[in-house]
Amino acid sequence: MSSRIRPLLVLLTAAAMLPLSTGAASASSAPAPCAAPAPAEAPVRAGEAGRKSPLPPNAAAFMAAYTAWGDKPTVCEYLKLFTRDGTLMDTGLPAPIGLAAIEEQMKAVLTVMPDYRFVPLSADSSPDGRVIFVKARNTGTVTAANGTSAEVDYVTTHRLVLRGELVEQGRRFWDQTELFRPLEPSLPRLFEGLGPAGPQGRPDAGAPRHKPVPPAAARQQPKPGTAEWKERRKRAWNSGDMSALVPDARGLRLTGPGLSGPITSTATAQEYLGRFYGRVHGPMKLEPGHTVRKGRTVYQEWVGHAKVGPTESSASTVTYGIVEQFTLGERGAVDWELSFETLDLVATGDAIKTLRERLFPPRNPSAPSAPSAPSAS
């Protein structure tokens, strides 16, 4: 993508994109502040009933404000979710953006999707309420520049660092093809045929799901979230070691982008990763980000760069991120959920530019500029 296409055309591909790594905005560059949100009167329980613990008070108050905003989104209420130096990051951006660009982003989002709604589905935080992972459903009607409209419904995962009850840093992980496919049905389906029925319609439920794990082997596996576990998975993600990435579990359920339902066999899980790595050209360069352990659930963030594209000749090096969520069940079962973006895997930079311009045409050159987007060519 040309450097003239502002990050608005990268970020505005959906709403509610909350922050990541430390970044740049200063108080002097921020828009006029809104009044601070009122604290929640009582802790908010997040996640499935009876399975998640109550959130710490600051995280509960934030989730109350976040949920209220999602029910009736406005630009001002969105800005109230951030600290004065809060930042925002998403796949494809060279660096986090600050409040001025965040305000501009949300104005444009609500212009093209005025009926946008954001519904948190689950939330888990660190014991001190400092880091929280939120999964949410996003719906609305997108109107393209040519006047055509399409309903969208997609899930996003947000890793947020809170300062008190407000977002200081954050990053969103999601599959942008879910936004653009209603406008462009011809976008390739990278994982077509995988899911509950497996490749070519073969059932996944069978021997692989119930394969016993020898007790000795199980004891050798490092505990999810530990330093040894993160180092092993870092090597596996960056080298494409699919056998090391797929959990060795008696019962496996993998959910992720492009799947109509869970994968429940080791072989199909490896095929899923194989299709992913077929669009990654060269070693990935990911590092472990934040980790949250809550009961039997572990969230792990991976951030860095990857050279991706439909072919090696059309590939681009982009900032890239993945979130893994592991929930350990009884008798060795593992639910493994992945959140990552596939648009850069299936479409060229020129195709992505065209798609984004259908929603967000290039702005008037005299308009205030925002930080430049990375080249996608």
Side-chain angles (χ1 to χ4, degrees):
M1 181 182 294
S2 166
S3 61
R4 292 174 296 177
I5 306 300
R6 295 184 173 94
L8 198 57
L9 305 180
V10 178
L11 289 174
L12 299 188
T13 51
M17 197 166 69
L18 285 176
L20 164 128
S21 27
T22 57
S26 66
S28 62
S29 65
C34 299
E41 294 181 359
V44 177
R45 288 184 178 272
E48 298 177 17
R51 181 169 151 186
K52 305 292 183 184
S53 299
L55 295 169
N58 71 307
F62 166 76
M63 286 305 302
Y66 202 16
T67 302
W69 171 80
D71 187 55
K72 191 176 181 180
T74 66
V75 174
C76 187
E77 292 302 315
Y78 187 61
L79 295 177
K80 288 181 184 179
L81 299 172
F82 296 86
T83 63
R84 291 281 288 168
D85 57 351
T87 58
L88 174 67
M89 182 62 181
D90 202 10
T91 297
L93 287 179
I97 61 171
L99 288 189
I102 292 171
E103 179 183 28
E104 188 177 23
Q105 170 234 338
M106 187 49 61
K107 286 179 180 177
V109 169
L110 295 180
T111 297
V112 300
M113 196 162 28
D115 62 344
Y116 173 74
R117 292 296 182 268
F118 176 88
V119 180
L121 302 175
S122 65
D124 282 296
S125 79
S126 55
D128 61 1
R130 175 67 169 161
V131 180
I132 184 169
F133 282 86
V134 179
K135 184 166 66 175
R137 183 184 180 192
N138 304 255
T139 60
T141 305
V142 172
T143 302
N146 62 4
T148 61
S149 297
E151 294 184 1
V152 296
D153 188 340
Y154 54 96
V155 174
T156 50
T157 298
H158 306 255
R159 190 278 293 132
L160 312 174
V161 175
L162 302 182
R163 186 191 303 161
E165 301 172 7
L166 301 177
V167 174
E168 178 182 77
Q169 306 168 9
R171 185 167 187 149
R172 187 179 63 166
F173 303 80
W174 65 299
D175 187 7
Q176 297 182 54
T177 60
E178 295 183 28
L179 177 69
F180 286 109
R181 196 179 302 284
L183 297 174
E184 187 51 70
S186 65
L187 277 172
R189 297 179 182 272
L190 184 58
F191 305 112
E192 189 170 19
L194 300 181
Q200 291 79 52
R202 294 195 302 272
D204 273 355
R209 177 168 173 77
H210 303 288
K211 183 183 75 172
V213 177
R219 286 197 299 268
Q220 292 172 4
Q221 299 296 321
K223 186 176 180 181
T226 62
E228 180 186 358
W229 178 86
K230 285 189 277 190
E231 184 58 33
R232 287 191 186 189
R233 293 197 72 77
K234 171 187 169 180
R235 292 197 301 265
W237 276 116
N238 287 336
S239 66
D241 187 344
M242 294 172 285
S243 63
L245 288 171
V246 177
D248 186 4
R250 291 186 179 93
L252 172 66
R253 289 173 58 87
L254 166 62
T255 56
L259 296 177
S260 59
I263 286 173
T264 55
S265 82
T266 298
T268 309
Q270 290 191 17
E271 180 167 345
Y272 180 78
L273 293 178
R275 294 190 191 183
F276 171 82
Y277 279 107
R279 302 301 177 93
V280 178
H281 306 282
M284 300 184 77
K285 298 180 180 179
L286 301 180
E287 294 290 339
H290 291 274
T291 307
V292 164
R293 288 187 290 265
K294 192 63 175 277
R296 292 178 173 267
T297 298
V298 175
Y299 296 83
Q300 181 60 53
E301 173 191 36
W302 302 97
V303 292
H305 297 83
K307 186 177 181 180
V308 296
T311 63
E312 187 168 9
S313 62
S314 65
S316 303
T317 298
V318 298
T319 59
Y320 206 78
I322 298 170
V323 166
E324 299 185 271
Q325 177 184 339
F326 294 91
T327 301
L328 307 180
E330 297 179 358
R331 304 182 65 180
V334 175
D335 285 351
W336 180 30
E337 183 173 338
L338 294 173
S339 299
F340 57 84
E341 181 263 323
T342 71
L343 185 62
D344 285 305
L345 306 181
V346 302
T348 65
D350 286 343
I352 294 172
K353 173 184 174 181
T354 299
L355 282 172
R356 287 176 173 148
E357 288 183 347
R358 286 174 62 182
L359 286 183
F360 308 101
R363 299 181 48 198
N364 187 324
S366 64
S369 61
S372 298
S375 171
S377 58

